[in-house]
Structures are given as C-alpha cells and as structure tokens.
C-alpha cells in the first residue's frame, strides 16, 4: 500500500472512531428478558437462545462491565443497509461504545451490519473469541482505545473495508484468526504498542497486515499470508522497534514493505512467489526498505519472486534508507536481482547472504557507502556481485558459475 493510501485509510478509520464516540444510545430492554430482540442492551451474563434476524440497527449493545455474551452458535443478522443519522453510531452487530471493561463475546455468527463488532472508549480486558463475522459493509471487528485485549480464533470473511481494525491500544494478543475477502486490509493496526499478532491465516485480501501511526513493540510472527493483491505485511508512518518474524508469505503482490520506519527486526520469514499474483502495478518485491533506517533483515528466505528479493533504497519515500543491516538471508529472483542496494542508500551492511540463481545479478549495489562481507553469489544470469566503485570490500565474498565471466565488479570474489 502506498504511503498516501495508508494515510487515507488511517484518516478514514480515525474519523469513524470520532463519529462513533460522539454519542451513545441504547435500547432499554434488559438481558433478563426471556427473549432478546434486536437493539437490546445486555447488563448481565447472557446466552443467546435464538437467532436475531434482519436487525434494522444495532444487534446487541453491551451495557455493563464484566459480563459474558455467549452467542451459543446462533446468528445476529443485520439488514445489509447502513442508514445511520449523522453523529449517531448504529448498525453494529455487537456494540460496546461506552467502554465497558471485562466483556467477553464468543461463539456465534455476526453478519450484514455496517460494523460487525465495535468496542471503544477506554476498554480493558476485552475477549472476542470464536466469532464468525462476515459480509460487513465496513469493518468486521473494530477495537480502539483498549488495554489487555484478546481477539482470537475468529473467522472474518467478505467484509467490505477491513477485516479487523485495532488502534490506539496496548498489551493485546490477536491470534489464530482467519481473514479473507477484505476490500482493503485483512488487519489494520494504528497506534498499537507492546502487542502480539500471531498465528493468523490471511488469504485473498487486498493487503495483509498493516501497522502504522507510530506502532511500536508489536511482534508479528508465525502468520500465514497468501494471495494478497498488494503487500503481505506493511510497516509505515514511523512504526518503530517492531519484530516481524517466522511468517510464511506466499504468492502475494509484494512481500514485506517498510516505508519511513526505523529500528525494526525482520527475521526468519519465508517469502515466496511475489509478483505473480495481485495488482498489476506491484513490483513483486520480497522485502523492501523504502526510506527506512536502522532496520535489520536477518535469516529470511526470499525466493521465486518477480522483482528483486531484497531492496534498500528510496522508492516512494522522500529520503533514501540509511544504516540498515542485510545479513544471512537466502535470496533469489526469477527476473531481477537477489539483493539490490539503490543509489543514495547510506551505510548499508550486506554480509553472509546467499544469493544464487537470480534472473539478473545475485547482489547489485549502486550505493558506494555499502559494505560487502562474506556473501555467496553463484549461478546467476549476469554477475554474482555487481558493485559500484567505492564500496567497502569486507572480504570473504565468493561468486562463481555466473553468466558474466567477470563474476564480480569492484570487490574481490
């Protein structure tokens, strides 16, 4: 996703939070009633005994702290038409906009609302589990301004805007969810801190996981992301000190994008087949550092993509990348370079990588402040290592059986 696109998406989401927070109105019906109706307010532990069908506004509204709502396998069904008055939140399957703490919702289907589940307002200890949220006009699950939230083992599909939005929150765990068919991103995080996003399965969304707006201390690990039209994982807007590790990314438009961020660790990810699926204007990049500084790419395997496997440069960012480490990766590209360090990138360290069997060069360096040490680049279509004059040769580089008999330029190999 471009930086402009991410800013637009952030603005749209934040606007929705502001509008939703301006008013809170709920029906007065209590959960103690024998039969729940659309729009009822829940104030005690509740188990749903029947489906709620064609709700014209909200499905159920949370009205107290420390309660559990068990959907008991039943469905809360909207009317697939959001007609909300200005500044009045409505058309939400499960609504907790008053910020009630300690609320658990589990075990059923929520469908055809504007927003499937919407929790906001300084929440703590929310638990959303084993829900199927589908065909929302906007967002499947939306949680903002929270601490100690767990969102796990939910199935989100066919939501028109974003599968899951999570923002301005900390100490959360988003785990074991499956998300498909989202019109924008599967999971959109903004202003999230010290949280874990793990073991989610994301398939056939426009984008996978996006983390922006200064998100920090977020660990994104062991997720399986495939068939994204754009990027699989995208860090932007000053996301800092995050970890992206042990993810399996297959057949996406692009793999991992870091744009104008700093101090992140990208390690032990498997990225395959980028650029042969998705939007026609994707670059097919495996991992790209676009104006990103002081990040480490370590022990990733990036193979079989259309574009370069690893790029360090300025593409959409106003300034080039600086002070990054590219180490111990295994890379190749069907049509491009294994590793490409663009002109203007400064103080990049490229060490102990294996860059074999790429469609162009194994390693291509256009930035003279780059240091190359102990890399292996064999059986590439052109050169093993093509470096401009002025690079620092740290020694131990090896290139052989490449298409160009020179094997390397401006480093010994």
């Amino acid at each position: 996703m471009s930086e402009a696109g991410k800013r637009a998406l952030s603005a749209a989401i934040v606007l929705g939070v502001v509008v939703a927070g301006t008013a809170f109105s709920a029906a007065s019906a209590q959960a103690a009633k024998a039969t729940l109706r659309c729009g009822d307010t829940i104030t005690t532990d509740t188990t749903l005994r029947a489906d709620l069908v064609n709700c014209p506004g909200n499905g159920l509204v949370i009205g107290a702290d420390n309660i559990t709502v068990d959907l008991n396998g039943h469905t809360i069904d909207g009317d697939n038409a959001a007609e909300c008055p200005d500044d009045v939140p409505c058309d939400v399957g499960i609504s907790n906009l008053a910020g009630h703490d300690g609320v658990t919702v589990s075990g059923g289907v929520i469908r055809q609302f504007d927003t499937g589940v919407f929790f906001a307002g300084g929440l703590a200890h929310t638990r959303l589990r084993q829900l199927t949220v589908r065909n929302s006009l906007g967002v499947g699950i939306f949680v903002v301004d929270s601490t100690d939230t767990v969102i796990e083992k939910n199935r989100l599909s066919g939501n028109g805007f974003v599968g899951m939005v999570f923002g301005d929150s900390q100490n959360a765990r988003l785990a074991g969810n499956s998300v498909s068919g989202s019109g924008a991103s599967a999971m959109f995080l903004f202003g999230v801190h010290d949280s874990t996003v793990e073991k989610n399965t994301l398939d056939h969304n426009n984008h996978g996981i996006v983390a922006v707006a200064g998100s920090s201390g977020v660990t994104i690990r062991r997720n399986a992301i495939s068939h994204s039209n754009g990027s699989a994982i995208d860090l932007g807007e000053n996301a800092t000190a995050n970890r992206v590790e042990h993810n399996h990314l297959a057949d996406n438009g692009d793999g991992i994008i870091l744009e104008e961020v700093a101090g992140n660790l990208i390690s032990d990810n498997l990225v395959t087949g980028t650029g042969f699926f998705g939007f026609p204007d994707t670059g097919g990049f495996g991992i790209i550092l676009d104006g990103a500084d002081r990040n480490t790419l370590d022990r990733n395997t990036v193979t079989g993509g259309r574009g370069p496997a690893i790029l360090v440069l300025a593409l959409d960012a106003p300034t080039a990348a600086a002070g990054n480490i590219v180490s111990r990766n295994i890379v190749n590209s069907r049509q491009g370079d294994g590793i490409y360090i663009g002109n203007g990138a400064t103080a990049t360290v490229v060490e102990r990588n294996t860059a074999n069997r790429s469609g162009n060069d194994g390693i291509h360096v256009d930035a003279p402040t780059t240091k190359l040490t102990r890399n292996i680049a064999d059986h590439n279509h052109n050169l093993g290592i093509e470096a401009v004059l002025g690079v620092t040769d740290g020694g131990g580089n090896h290139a052989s059986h490449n298409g160009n008999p020179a094997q390397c330029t401006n480093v010994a190999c």
Side-chain angles (χ1 to χ4, degrees):
M1 181 181 293
S2 70
E3 196 68 19
K6 288 181 288 188
R7 282 193 290 268
L9 187 53
S10 295
I13 288 171
V14 172
L15 178 62
V17 175
V18 171
V19 169
T22 59
F24 175 76
S25 175
S28 60
Q30 300 299 308
K33 291 176 63 176
T35 302
L36 288 170
R37 297 178 181 176
C38 295
D40 280 357
T41 297
I42 306 299
T43 58
T44 188
D45 290 349
T46 298
T47 299
L48 200 62
R49 301 300 182 187
D51 295 344
L52 302 180
V53 180
N54 290 327
C55 294
N58 293 328
L60 296 174
V61 177
I62 302 300
D65 294 348
N66 302 314
I67 62 172
T68 295
V69 179
D70 180 0
L71 301 187
N72 193 31
H74 289 290
T75 295
I76 301 178
D77 175 56
D79 61 1
N80 204 34
E83 297 179 357
C84 300
D86 291 343
D87 298 338
V88 177
C90 76
D91 211 54
V92 178
I94 302 283
S95 176
N96 181 11
L97 301 183
H100 290 295
D101 297 334
V103 175
T104 296
V105 182
S106 65
V109 177
I110 302 167
R111 68 187 185 194
Q112 294 187 330
F113 291 90
D114 183 59
T115 302
V117 178
F118 198 167
F119 277 42
L123 316 152
H125 306 294
T126 293
R127 302 290 183 265
L128 303 176
R129 295 187 170 113
Q130 295 181 319
L131 300 170
T132 296
V133 185
R134 63 175 184 255
N135 302 123
S136 304
L137 298 176
V139 177
I141 293 177
F142 196 150
V143 177
V144 65
D145 191 13
S146 71
T147 59
D148 299 305
T149 295
V150 176
I151 304 175
E152 63 181 2
K153 298 181 181 178
N154 302 287
R155 299 181 63 183
L156 315 179
S157 64
N159 295 294
F161 189 35
V162 180
M164 183 186 301
V165 174
F166 191 72
D168 292 335
S169 299
Q170 60 188 354
N171 301 325
R173 182 170 183 263
L174 316 179
N177 302 286
S178 67
V179 187
S180 63
S182 304
S185 303
M187 305 177 77
F188 189 91
L189 284 61
F190 64 95
V192 175
H193 308 286
D194 303 320
S195 297
T196 301
V197 181
E198 65 180 351
K199 298 181 181 178
N200 300 286
T201 301
L202 316 178
D203 185 57
H204 281 97
N205 302 282
N206 270 351
H207 297 274
I209 299 171
V210 177
V212 296
S215 294
S216 66
V218 178
T219 298
I220 300 172
R221 68 184 175 204
R222 300 191 186 283
N223 300 284
I225 306 176
S226 57
H227 302 108
S228 305
N229 287 318
S231 57
I233 298 176
D234 196 333
L235 305 185
E237 295 179 4
N238 300 311
T240 304
N242 302 290
R243 301 174 67 95
V244 178
E245 56 192 15
H246 296 284
N247 299 285
H248 184 187
L249 316 179
D251 301 317
N252 299 284
D254 290 312
I256 302 171
I257 296 176
L258 282 71
E259 183 175 356
E260 297 185 71
V261 299
N264 301 284
L265 173 63
I266 313 300
S267 70
D268 298 284
N269 299 286
L270 175 60
V271 184
T272 60
T274 55
F276 296 103
F277 180 90
F279 296 134
D281 60 348
T282 59
F285 308 136
I287 303 174
I288 178 170
L289 304 183
D290 182 7
D293 301 336
R294 302 183 307 283
N295 302 282
T296 298
L297 310 184
D298 186 58
R299 297 182 186 273
N300 301 285
T301 299
V302 187
T303 61
R306 176 168 54 83
I310 293 177
L311 298 88
V312 181
L313 77 176
L315 187 63
D316 295 322
T319 58
N324 296 288
I325 298 172
V326 180
S327 62
R328 296 182 292 187
N329 302 284
I330 299 172
V331 301
N332 68 40
S333 168
R334 291 190 192 179
Q335 300 177 11
D337 301 318
I339 296 173
Y340 177 76
I341 312 299
N343 186 26
T346 58
T348 307
V349 174
V350 181
E351 62 183 7
R352 298 189 182 188
N353 299 284
T354 300
N356 297 338
R357 301 184 185 281
S358 285
N360 194 28
D361 299 326
I363 300 173
H364 187 128
V365 179
D366 284 337
T369 62
T370 304
K371 183 177 181 178
L372 292 150
T373 305
R374 297 179 65 180
N375 299 287
I376 298 171
D378 298 337
H379 297 283
N380 296 287
H381 184 73
N382 191 16
L383 288 159
I385 301 174
E386 181 174 356
V388 297
L389 188 66
V391 299
T392 299
D393 186 348
N397 297 294
H398 177 271
S400 66
H401 299 94
N402 296 288
N404 191 321
Q407 303 301 325
C408 298
T409 62
N410 295 309
V411 294
C413 62

